[in-house]
Amino acid sequence: MTGVLRWVTYLAPAIRPLYELAVRRVQREVGVECRLHARADYAELAAGAHDFAFVCGLPYVEMVDGMVSALEPLAAPILAGPRYGGVPVYFSDVIVPARGDSATFADLRRRRWAYNEVGSHSGYLVTLHRLAGLGETTGYFGEWVDAGFHEESIRLVAMGAVDGAAVDSQVLAVALDQDAAVRDSVRVVDSLGPSTIQPLVAAPHVPASLQRDVAAAITSLGETDEERQVMSAMHVERFVPVADADYDDIRRMLAKVEMAGLWTAPRPPGLRALG
C-alpha cells in the first residue's frame, strides 16, 4: 500500500493531541505519509474513504454487526488511574452544577439532561442503559438537550443551563486539568460503566501486514519524552491491542436497552458522531 494514509477521528476534540501523536508515530515508524482529519459522518468510513479511524465503541459494533464494514480493531488506550485497573476501559461520569442541589442520579429526575449525540456510547447509550436497569423510560428526564460534543455538555452543566450530563471520563479529566472555571463549576455525583474504551480501527481494504505495523507503532507509544508528555496530559498510560470480542460489553448494553424498548432500532452508520 503506497501513497498517503488517510486517518480520521470521530472522537472528542479535546483528545485530538493524542491522536495527532499516534499518527506522527506511525508516519515515522512505517515510513508513509499520514494525514489526520476530523469527520462527522460514519458513512465515509463505511464507504472506504479512510484507512484508519479512532471511533466510538457504539458505532463500531453497529457497523461490524450490521456488516456495513469489516472494521478491524487494532489498539486502544489504558487510562491513568486506579479506577481503570490497567485495562482499556473508561467511565461516563455524571456531572451536575457545583452549586446545584443534585447529589445523586435520582436527583436528576424531571431535570434537564445534556447528551453529546445519539451515536455516542459514553454520552447516550450508557444513560439509556442506566434507565433500563432502573425500569425507567426516556421520560425520566424532563428535557433531553443535544449538546453535540462532550465539551459542550460540560460547558452547559458548568453554566447551569442544564442540570446534568454523562461525560467521557477521559474528556472530563482533561477539561478539569485545563480549565479552573470548570473545576469550580461542576461536581461528579455518579459514574456509568465501565465500558471498553474507543478503539483505533483499520478499514477492510488495509493489508494485514500494514495493520500489524500500525498496531505495533501505536502500542509502542511512550518511548520518548514528547510522547510521555502528551500521553500524560491526555491521562493515558499506554496503548494495548484490542479485539472485536472486547466490545461485547457494549453489545450487551445495547441489547438490554433495545429489549427495554428505549431504542427500537440500531443507529445507521451516517450518524454525526463525536464519541
Side-chain angles (χ1 to χ4, degrees):
M1 193 170 185
T2 59
V4 176
L5 292 181
R6 301 160 297 178
W7 292 69
V8 61
T9 173
Y10 292 91
L11 304 179
I15 314 300
R16 185 179 172 100
L18 180 67
Y19 311 135
E20 292 172 341
L21 177 74
V23 170
R24 290 197 300 272
R25 176 62 181 261
V26 170
Q27 180 168 285
R28 184 172 68 249
E29 294 293 318
V30 178
V32 179
E33 183 180 355
C34 299
R35 294 178 185 169
L36 176 66
H37 304 278
R39 286 291 184 268
D41 190 346
Y42 275 100
E44 293 180 348
L45 182 59
H50 306 292
D51 302 311
F52 296 94
F54 299 96
V55 300
C56 180
L58 174 60
Y60 164 73
V61 300
E62 289 184 327
M63 293 174 72
V64 169
D65 294 354
M67 294 184 290
V68 174
S69 179
L71 301 171
E72 185 66 31
L74 301 180
I78 290 180
L79 299 181
R83 73 189 297 202
Y84 302 106
V87 294
V89 298
Y90 70 127
F91 293 83
S92 295
D93 287 332
V94 177
I95 58 172
V96 300
R99 294 171 179 81
D101 60 358
S102 296
T104 67
F105 189 86
D107 293 333
L108 294 167
R109 182 186 291 274
R110 307 297 181 220
R111 301 291 185 92
R112 295 162 297 174
W113 179 264
Y115 63 98
N116 57 329
E117 58 91 27
V118 297
S120 168
H121 174 72
S122 58
Y124 192 69
L125 178 63
V126 290
T127 303
L128 296 181
H129 184 259
R130 169 63 69 86
L131 295 180
L134 294 172
E136 298 284 353
T137 71
T138 54
Y140 184 87
F141 300 114
E143 181 182 0
W144 292 74
V145 178
D146 184 348
F149 297 84
H150 275 307
E151 293 89 337
E152 180 65 6
S153 294
I154 295 171
R155 188 186 73 84
L156 291 173
V157 172
M159 65 186 293
V162 299
D163 301 295
V167 176
D168 178 314
S169 59
Q170 181 188 16
V171 177
L172 180 61
V174 171
L176 294 176
D177 284 348
Q178 296 179 350
D179 193 335
V182 170
R183 290 197 299 273
D184 293 338
S185 302
V186 304
R187 287 184 291 115
V188 176
V189 298
D190 202 344
S191 291
L192 312 180
S195 307
T196 306
I197 200 166
Q198 304 97 332
L200 165 66
V201 301
H205 63 262
V206 176
S209 59
L210 180 56
Q211 292 185 26
R212 289 193 294 270
D213 290 344
V214 167
I218 296 296
T219 54
S220 297
L221 277 166
E223 294 181 340
T224 69
D225 288 342
E226 178 208 6
E227 290 174 352
R228 287 189 290 271
Q229 182 177 1
V230 172
M231 292 167 69
S232 176
M234 297 292 105
H235 290 259
V236 170
E237 287 187 354
R238 63 189 186 278
F239 280 81
V240 294
V242 290
D244 179 73
D246 292 321
Y247 294 88
D248 285 348
D249 61 329
I250 295 178
R251 292 181 171 97
R252 290 190 293 270
M253 291 185 194
L254 179 58
K256 182 172 181 176
V257 165
E258 291 180 327
M259 185 173 298
L262 300 184
W263 242 358
T264 58
R267 316 314 302 173
L271 286 172
R272 174 173 56 83
L274 293 148

